[in-house]
Amino acid sequence: MTSTKQPDWRQAVALMLLLALSAGVSADGIAGKVSVIDPYVRAVPPVTKTSAAFMQLRNDNDTDGSLVRAETPAAGAVELHTHTMDEGVMRMRQIPQISLPPNTTVFLEPGGLHVMLFDLKAPLSPGDEVPITLTFSDGSSKAVTAEVRSVQGMMKH
């Protein structure tokens, strides 16, 4: 007859602690090395159902990374976008990711890379704040709060 020895509760707690600590380290990933500078969302008239978020993403890592998704409860859908010139016309296009080269700041700004917000749940007025979660290529994420700014405020900015 073989006896099955139950693991000591201290071993189980130590294992759970080790797993929790390692999960915390891996959850940081790229998100822990990216600084989000000056995030803001464009204020739009109440009848408008789309807006855009802009910011600077500083990758302080020695390796490449990328932003692969953004989410906010303020919108029904969120996409990563860029503007491209197509037969002399500037067009907005969805892209699968925004590359973040090592030790570089990437600018998400009007007329360039940005986060597009579709099907807004409520009007966005200057001074409001919009929570946005950024997800990176390694699965790590970072929550940011973006101030809503008027177009005039953005031009002065």
Side-chain angles (χ1 to χ4, degrees), residues 4-155:
T4 313
K5 183 178 177 185
Q6 294 295 324
D8 181 55
W9 68 269
R10 290 174 291 241
Q11 289 175 329
V13 169
L15 180 60
M16 288 174 24
L17 182 60
L18 180 63
L19 289 172
L21 288 173
S22 66
V25 169
S26 66
D28 244 5
I30 294 170
K33 295 286 190 175
V34 172
S35 301
V36 180
I37 304 157
D38 195 28
Y40 65 94
V41 173
R42 180 181 307 186
V44 293
V47 295
T48 304
K49 291 293 192 185
T50 60
S51 187
F54 309 101
M55 63 198 76
Q56 297 168 33
L57 300 173
R58 171 77 190 162
N59 181 7
D60 289 320
N61 204 350
D62 291 332
T63 59
D64 286 321
S66 57
L67 176 65
V68 296
R69 185 172 68 243
E71 299 172 286
T72 179
V78 181
E79 297 176 356
L80 304 178
H81 276 226
T82 191
H83 282 91
T84 58
M85 191 61 82
D86 182 14
E87 297 181 12
V89 177
M90 187 66 88
R91 298 188 190 276
M92 188 173 55
R93 300 275 187 229
Q94 182 179 5
I95 54 176
Q97 66 185 17
I98 295 174
S99 295
L100 304 173
N103 301 305
T104 301
T105 300
V106 175
F107 292 82
L108 280 61
E109 56 193 359
L113 297 168
H114 59 281
V115 176
M116 197 70 200
L117 311 177
F118 294 99
D119 189 24
L120 294 174
K121 304 295 183 185
L124 299 176
S125 301
D128 289 349
E129 293 183 333
V130 176
I132 300 173
T133 301
L134 306 173
T135 303
F136 300 92
S137 51
D138 67 350
S140 64
S141 61
K142 178 174 279 224
V144 299
T145 301
E147 178 189 6
V148 177
R149 295 185 188 157
S150 67
V151 173
Q152 292 81 13
M154 290 190 317
M155 289 180 183

